[in-house]
């Protein structure tokens, strides 16, 4: 699975002006990790085009490839809501990835 950063901004440029940081941890069900990674490879290019998304980073655990870590920075709450209501989110995440997960945790943070 590739790693993706939204648009061509530096991290400093992306975090400038604050935003809503979403950190998520996923764990795929037994035997489903590669399928989840393939779904994320299709999802991320679409998510990067989202005008309210300032930054996306997704990593796959080197020691346990069934675990995925997300750092997503959105302009604000409305941008996060629009992201979650988008067609690409509903197709790739809600429709395809979530059924393959054993565990999903999310937390939201305001940047300091």
């Amino acid at each position: 699975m590739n790693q993706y950063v939204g648009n061509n901004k530096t991290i400093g440029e992306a975090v400038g002006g604050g935003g809503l940081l979403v950190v998520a941890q996923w764990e795929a069900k037994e035997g489903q990790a590669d399928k989840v990674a393939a779904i994320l490879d299709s999802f991320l290019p679409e998510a990067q085009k989202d005008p309210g998304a300032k930054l996306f980073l997704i990593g796959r655990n080197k020691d346990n490839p069934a675990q995925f870590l997300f750092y997503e920075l959105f302009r604000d709450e409305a941008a996060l809501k629009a992201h979650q209501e988008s067609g690409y989110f509903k197709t790739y995440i809600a429709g395809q990835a979530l059924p393959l997960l054993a565990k999903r945790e999310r937390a939201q943070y305001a940047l300091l």
Side-chain angles (χ1 to χ4, degrees):
M1 187 178 89
N2 297 318
Q3 292 185 358
Y4 296 92
V5 178
N7 57 49
N8 292 323
K9 293 181 181 178
T10 67
I11 290 178
E13 290 169 337
V15 300
L20 178 65
L21 179 65
V22 177
V23 179
Q25 295 182 26
W26 287 7
E27 186 163 344
K29 292 178 182 175
E30 182 75 28
Q32 301 300 315
D34 288 339
K35 288 181 185 177
V36 171
I39 292 164
L40 293 174
D41 277 341
S42 297
F43 164 77
L44 260 294
E46 296 298 321
Q48 290 173 337
K49 296 175 193 173
D50 192 316
K54 298 172 75 175
L55 176 72
F56 269 91
L57 295 173
I58 298 179
R60 191 172 184 184
N61 189 313
K62 292 170 71 174
D63 296 325
N64 181 354
Q67 294 178 341
F68 299 85
L69 181 66
F70 297 68
Y71 284 94
E72 305 171 357
L73 181 60
F74 295 93
R75 185 180 57 243
D76 52 27
E77 253 331 301
L80 172 60
K81 185 175 180 182
H83 166 72
Q84 293 172 329
E85 293 175 353
S86 70
Y88 67 86
F89 184 92
K90 289 178 181 178
T91 298
Y92 294 115
I93 302 303
Q96 296 177 18
L98 294 184
L100 303 179
L101 301 182
K103 180 179 172 184
R104 179 185 185 211
E105 297 178 1
R106 295 178 295 166
Q108 296 180 13
Y109 301 87
L111 290 184
L112 300 176

